[in-house]
Amino acid sequence: MTALLEIQQVVKSFGGVRAVDGAAFEVAAGSITALIGPNGAGKSTLFNCVAGSLRPDAGRIVFAGRRIDRLPTHRIARAGLVRTFQSARALARMTVLDNLLLASIGHPGERLSGLLLRPRAARAHERALRERARELLDLVGLQAHADAYAGTLSGGQRKLLDLARVLMLEPTLVLLDEPMAGVSPRLRVELLDHILALRRERGITFLIIEHDLDFVMQAAEKIVVMNEGRVIAQGDPASVQGDQAVVDAYLGTAAVHEQPAPA
Amino acid sequence: MFSQLVVNGLVTGSVYAIAAVGVSLVYGILRLVNFAYGDMMAFGALVAYGCNGPLHQSMVVAALAGMAATALLALALDVALWKPLRARRAGFMSLFLASIGLALVLRQALLLAAGPQPEAYRVDPYRVFVIGSVRLSEAQTIAVATAAAAIVVVALFLARTTAGRVLRAMADDRTLAAVAGIDVARATRLAWAISGLLAGLAGVLAGLVEYSFTPDFGFQLLLPVFAAVVLGGIGSAYGALAGGLALGLAEELSTWSGFAGGVDPVYKPVVAFVLLALALLLRPQGLFGRARVA
Amino acid sequence: MSTLASAGFWEFVGVVAGIYTILALGLQLQFGFAGLLNFGQVAFMAIGAYTMAILVVKEGWSTWLAAPLGVAAAAVGGLVLGLPTLRLRSDYFAIVTIAFSEIVRYVAMNEDALTGGSQGTIALGPVGQAAQYNGQWAQFQHRMQAWLGLPSADATMLVIVWLAALALLASAWAVLRTPWGRVLRSIREDEDAAASLGKNAFAYKLQALALGAALAGVAGLFYAWQFSYFSPDDFAPLLTFFAWMIVLLGGLGRVFAVPVGAVVFGFIFAGTRFLGFAPFSWFASDQRAYLRLIIIGLVILALVVLRPQGLLGKREEMVLE
Ligand SMILES: Nc1ncnc2c1ncn2[C@@H]1O[C@H](COP(=O)(O)OP(=O)(O)O)[C@@H](O)[C@H]1O
Ligand SMILES: [Mg+2]
């Protein structure tokens, strides 16, 4: 399988702290890859670098054959790589439906010139968008809340909204930062089903940070383990589970281990 | 000529620096951009004028009275206005707006109480000290000596005393400070008291330096003070000190004929803003953003 | 205090409220919808007014050409301010905008050759000759007055200003309901989230700033025409704070809250002229001017403490983080 995303020796420091310290791995097209590691390992920081929220100090990030580590967030999103945030970023004072309607690329109605010069195209696009938003609301079970302010949703519902919003964009790669945290067990099962179905039916690739190991073992075909800004192990779930470096990292005795050569 | 400008710059700059520390301390702890600070400075300057002029007190007594009165005002305002707003979890915007409203009230109240005519402290404008090629009026000499002493005291307070370290720790991370067992309410009062003392002092010094002042002169000082705070990286007390001095120097030196013929002095205030804009473009986190001590 | 009953006085208040409506609408667009802390709005008003007056007096342009150019100049001013500063943190941005407005005022005050300096527009023309920029406008206003059969010039101005204000309010309302306005609101809520959905937050903020500045430019035109003379002192930062007060009084993120805020503000501001009763009558008239501003300051404070959402704002929006 070809690599859709290549992370090459990425470094990001905050003051003296090297939050990401030469991390390197690949995400295969059409796969579900899990990124795990103890708190503070640098996972979210790495996501921020990939999604363009932070600019890496060194290293390269290649998405679909194109370097993206110097691009602004919105350009990366338009290229088909979208992310959710660790604490779901529902746009609180907008309705749930409006939150979803935002997720559209190339909407003529979102430009003043488009509104003036192509009003019909803008209306048509908006109509199609609303239809799709309704479908996705059904999919994540939020249809009853369409006209509520997103700020009134529970934490778990916000995660679902965040996911639905990302899916509206029909991305090729989705980065999910702890999608299960704060989500009720019943919703977790649903969320997992959604993700698996999306991969199966639409061929969407997922890179997921998650602490819920059950979820990771069930869903992911590849696991990347980070500790102190580095990748300390990667491979299929079974091999990673037995890896001594991983056990040490989780037990907090993080001994210095050789970083595996990038595949 | 050049050395005279440097000294003038240091005089102006030290007033900015003292005021900027006062703004910065409160911002660091309460996330409040205090728009009323200029008018608190004017309040201190006027109280001191009351003691120095009509009551015939010495400049030292007058300045101390101005500082004490401004600190009391700051504490009273905290009880009457800021504390209730904090209790309502008012956001950054609400606090900023409240400070604008307060600034209006204070300024007009001062005008009402003291009248619009300019006041001047009883210092002799014709007594001049000459050091080499540099001439300093009596008022400037008092201002620069007091300011230098005040800056040293403030820096020592922040660096060496427990209270100073607490204030800096809170400016860095309020929630962490609360977790670490710091009495947040007490530290807040302390910040207001010091901010008020510094406002009073800066007001008196500004009044001395400008020779005569009106009750609404605080607003004109506020903008360069804010510029100094931003230049130093908002919330950093040492940065504010450095930012204030840098700004004062830049304003005066811009008029130096050796520098492209010199800027027309009427544009001195503009120089501060242009400098601020340039600095922010180059370093969006503030010129001395890194100089912040953890 | 016979003016209390005079229609002329209230017509004047109504004109000013209309001009403030347009000025504050720009701010509502910038802050209420795009989240921009613009504290330099008055500068764009100055740019609009001065551009028009200078083109008419110095270049001999027709008012009808100079006026749109004044609005365009204000919009360009917004772009010039926004390009380098919109990437700054919001509190830094706020301070830079105040600085910008003071720079504009200083330039107007000191570049006598261009603006007439502190003497104002009267000194725009050749030395010793009182310059005047509103000949064509006065004619137009006169014709309108005859055509509408109105009793006074102020009454005519009242109609013209409010027609313009309503047209601008309606346009703003319409455009803010479109997907474009939705993107703007998303940026107000969370810029990072909007960017991660593919929105170029910078471009939208720049558009909001420039459009709001253009509205201030329109307000500047009407201000110039209404008073037929102005000087840099007319564009002090206080005016920007009045505009903020109007937006907050009305309620954030609501287009039609702006005229409500402006009218209420106009009444407070004008009404405080009539503080002829005790205890206000104890004060001299210049002291009462200070009292008026004290009252306005207290109203701002009361508003922030008691009704942060404004008259028409929704409480529930305030409690959502
Ligand atoms: N914006 C930031 N400023 C300073 N330090 C940060 C910032 N973001 C993350 N860090 C630090 O970087 C390290 C990695 O954090 P993070 O990427 O959030 O870890 P993870 O998501 O794996 O738990 C931590 O030590 C954290 O404190
Ligand atoms: Mg994380």
Side-chain angles (χ1 to χ4, degrees):
Chain A
M1 264 200 281
T2 55
L4 180 62
L5 179 72
E6 298 164 52
I7 315 259
Q8 302 171 351
Q9 267 67 44
V10 170
V11 175
K12 178 73 200 177
S13 315
F14 298 109
V17 186
R18 278 169 95 88
V20 178
D21 190 9
F25 61 91
E26 293 183 351
V27 175
S31 72
I32 296 181
T33 304
L35 180 59
I36 65 170
N39 268 328
K43 306 179 298 290
S44 294
T45 305
L46 181 63
F47 261 32
N48 283 328
C49 290
V50 173
S53 306
L54 292 173
R55 182 161 287 190
D57 302 330
R60 290 157 63 96
I61 299 168
V62 178
F63 171 63
R66 183 166 160 224
R67 253 189 100 161
I68 56 165
D69 47 275
R70 291 285 176 271
L71 291 184
T73 305
H74 67 273
R75 299 272 298 279
I76 295 174
R78 288 181 200 174
L81 192 170
V82 298
R83 58 93 61 94
T84 64
F85 292 87
Q86 184 167 345
S87 51
R89 298 278 188 93
L91 303 165
R93 287 176 296 173
M94 297 176 72
T95 64
V96 168
L97 184 61
D98 273 352
N99 263 268
L100 286 186
L101 293 175
L102 270 172
S104 159
I105 282 164
H107 190 334
E110 287 186 354
R111 299 169 160 271
L112 289 174
S113 58
L115 285 172
L116 277 174
L117 304 175
R118 299 164 57 207
R120 290 240 225 119
R123 271 198 299 275
H125 193 110
E126 182 75 2
R127 225 173 298 126
L129 192 62
R130 276 179 191 272
E131 214 160 284
R132 213 176 129 57
R134 294 277 175 196
E135 272 169 37
L136 273 159
L137 278 180
D138 283 349
L139 183 74
V140 296
L142 288 175
Q143 60 275 57
H145 301 276
D147 296 319
Y149 282 116
T152 61
L153 296 183
S154 73
Q157 288 171 322
R158 284 184 203 204
K159 293 254 172 187
L160 289 174
L161 175 60
D162 215 0
L163 183 68
R165 206 166 55 184
V166 156
L167 297 176
M168 287 281 293
L169 292 170
E170 312 204 312
T172 35
L173 172 62
V174 177
L175 311 183
L176 302 176
D177 197 343
E178 305 198 10
M180 299 298 174
V183 176
S184 71
R186 188 182 56 78
L187 280 180
R188 281 182 190 219
V189 177
E190 279 183 35
L191 206 55
L192 176 61
D193 287 346
H194 288 324
I195 291 171
L196 291 173
L198 285 162
R199 196 264 299 260
R200 198 169 54 237
E201 288 158 20
R202 309 227 176 115
I204 297 177
T205 308
F206 287 89
L207 174 61
I208 307 177
I209 297 179
E210 187 47 65
H211 286 300
D212 179 349
L213 284 183
D214 282 346
F215 170 86
V216 169
M217 293 300 162
Q218 265 178 50
E221 46 248 349
K222 176 178 173 181
I223 297 181
V224 178
V225 190
M226 276 182 77
N227 190 30
E228 295 178 349
R230 292 163 171 277
V231 173
I232 55 167
Q234 55 181 312
D236 59 72
S239 75
V240 165
Q241 220 169 5
D243 191 297
Q244 188 57 40
V246 177
V247 176
D248 290 348
Y250 272 95
L251 292 178
T253 54
V256 185
H257 282 272
E258 196 79 18
Q259 187 180 345
Chain B
M1 182 60 196
F2 184 78
S3 44
Q4 179 71 52
L5 287 178
V6 170
V7 172
N8 289 352
L10 285 175
V11 172
T12 320
S14 46
V15 174
Y16 292 167
I18 292 171
V21 175
V23 171
S24 189
L25 271 181
V26 164
Y27 178 85
I29 288 173
L30 301 176
R31 296 291 176 267
L32 164 66
V33 176
N34 187 5
F35 217 81
Y37 199 79
D39 302 294
M40 287 168 62
M41 286 165 67
F43 175 78
L46 277 175
V47 170
Y49 169 76
C51 295
N52 178 247
L55 296 181
H56 298 287
Q57 297 299 316
S58 78
M59 207 51 234
V60 175
V61 174
L64 290 176
M67 290 168 69
T70 315
L72 285 178
L73 174 71
L75 287 170
L77 286 172
D78 188 44
V79 174
L81 179 64
W82 304 119
K83 216 163 146 189
L85 279 173
R86 281 199 297 279
R88 285 165 191 255
R89 304 182 166 279
F92 168 80
M93 224 15 251
S94 301
L95 293 177
F96 189 43
L97 272 162
S99 80
I100 290 178
L102 176 63
L104 264 183
V105 173
L106 267 180
R107 191 177 320 153
Q108 306 303 324
L110 290 177
L111 281 165
L112 195 60
Q117 73 288 353
E119 319 280 12
Y121 294 117
R122 281 188 300 117
V123 287
D124 184 353
Y126 301 108
R127 203 158 126 210
V128 171
F129 299 90
V130 181
I131 311 154
S133 62
V134 175
R135 296 161 57 87
L136 276 178
S137 72
E138 183 177 9
Q140 282 181 312
T141 315
I142 298 176
V144 80
T146 316
I151 287 174
V152 171
V153 170
V154 168
L156 281 177
F157 167 79
L158 288 173
R160 295 292 167 78
T161 64
T162 317
R165 276 194 287 265
V166 164
L167 289 183
R168 281 187 298 130
M170 280 185 60
D172 267 348
D173 193 333
R174 199 179 155 80
T175 41
L176 205 66
V179 172
I182 289 174
D183 182 345
V184 175
R186 213 173 128 226
T188 304
R189 282 195 299 275
L190 183 66
W192 272 119
I194 296 173
S195 178
L197 285 174
L198 293 174
L201 179 61
V204 173
L205 295 180
L208 273 172
V209 170
E210 299 195 358
Y211 182 59
S212 75
F213 60 94
T214 53
D216 56 358
F217 84 133
F219 186 67
Q220 290 135 42
L221 289 168
L222 187 66
L223 288 176
V225 168
F226 274 1
V229 173
V230 173
L231 213 53
I234 288 189
S236 153
Y238 294 143
L241 277 179
L245 287 172
L247 211 60
L249 279 173
E251 276 189 14
E252 293 295 332
L253 289 182
S254 66
T255 62
W256 181 46
S257 51
F259 164 74
V263 176
D264 187 335
V266 296
Y267 280 116
K268 264 200 280 185
V270 173
V271 169
F273 299 139
V274 171
L275 192 81
L276 172 71
L278 284 180
L280 285 177
L281 294 187
L282 298 177
R283 284 181 69 87
Q285 72 274 43
L287 204 53
F288 301 99
R290 283 279 159 107
R292 177 171 178 164
V293 182
Chain C
M1 288 299 109
S2 58
T3 38
L4 190 50
S6 114
F9 175 74
W10 291 109
E11 278 161 13
F12 175 80
V13 172
V15 171
V16 174
I19 294 174
Y20 280 7
T21 297
I22 300 173
L23 180 70
L25 175 62
L27 205 55
Q28 179 74 288
L29 175 68
Q30 292 163 343
F31 181 70
F33 288 88
L36 298 175
L37 289 177
N38 174 16
F39 281 94
Q41 183 71 336
V42 72
F44 304 118
M45 191 173 171
I47 293 175
Y50 267 109
T51 305
M52 186 273 293
I54 290 170
L55 287 176
V56 169
V57 174
K58 289 194 189 274
E59 307 295 325
W61 284 33
S62 148
T63 297
W64 312 118
L65 264 175
L69 226 88
V71 176
V76 169
L79 295 178
V80 169
L81 173 63
L83 275 174
T85 58
L86 276 172
R87 290 182 207 281
L88 296 174
R89 254 171 53 180
S90 65
D91 39 2
Y92 288 10
F93 178 78
I95 288 166
V96 173
T97 54
I98 305 177
F100 173 77
S101 95
E102 284 293 89
I103 290 177
V104 168
R105 197 164 64 92
Y106 262 93
V107 170
M109 206 136 61
N110 293 303
E111 292 303 310
D112 299 26
L114 179 69
T115 62
S118 51
Q119 290 184 62
T121 51
I122 223 151
L124 266 181
V127 182
Q129 199 178 310
Q132 207 224 53
Y133 55 79
N134 65 337
Q136 267 178 305
W137 174 264
Q139 259 176 25
F140 167 75
Q141 201 177 334
H142 213 73
R143 241 178 293 134
M144 285 292 283
Q145 186 180 340
W147 187 58
L148 294 169
L150 286 167
S152 70
D154 267 353
T156 318
M157 195 65 175
L158 186 69
V159 172
I160 299 175
V161 167
W162 275 99
L163 279 179
L166 287 177
L168 291 168
L169 285 164
S171 319
W173 180 78
V175 81
L176 285 164
R177 291 177 71 228
T178 65
W180 181 82
R182 191 165 62 210
V183 175
L184 220 52
R185 282 184 291 140
S186 77
I187 290 165
R188 171 192 75 191
E189 292 298 298
D190 186 336
E191 200 176 322
D192 291 340
S196 73
L197 294 173
K199 310 306 173 208
N200 185 352
F202 180 77
Y204 281 92
K205 290 198 288 187
L206 198 59
Q207 289 170 38
L209 187 63
L211 285 175
L215 286 166
V218 175
L221 294 179
F222 282 117
Y223 188 88
W225 288 326
Q226 168 69 10
F227 294 98
S228 56
Y229 157 81
F230 58 88
S231 76
D233 283 341
D234 291 334
F235 304 109
L238 193 62
L239 203 53
T240 300
F241 300 142
F242 287 169
W244 269 95
M245 188 170 155
I246 287 167
V247 169
L248 293 159
L249 200 62
L252 280 177
R254 302 252 176 294
V255 168
F256 284 99
V258 175
V260 174
V263 168
V264 173
F265 176 80
F267 270 98
I268 295 174
F269 196 66
T272 46
R273 267 176 195 274
F274 305 115
L275 300 174
F277 48 89
F280 301 107
S281 51
W282 304 340
F283 293 94
S285 70
D286 56 335
Q287 291 181 319
R288 271 187 236 152
Y290 304 140
L291 273 177
R292 291 172 66 192
L293 286 172
I294 291 181
I295 290 172
I296 289 173
L298 289 174
V299 171
I300 296 185
L301 285 175
L303 205 65
V304 172
V305 175
L306 301 176
R307 202 175 163 83
Q309 76 272 35
L311 296 172
L312 300 189
K314 289 193 188 166
R315 181 83 206 168
E316 69 237 62
E317 287 199 354
M318 293 299 297
V319 297
L320 299 174
E321 92 282 29

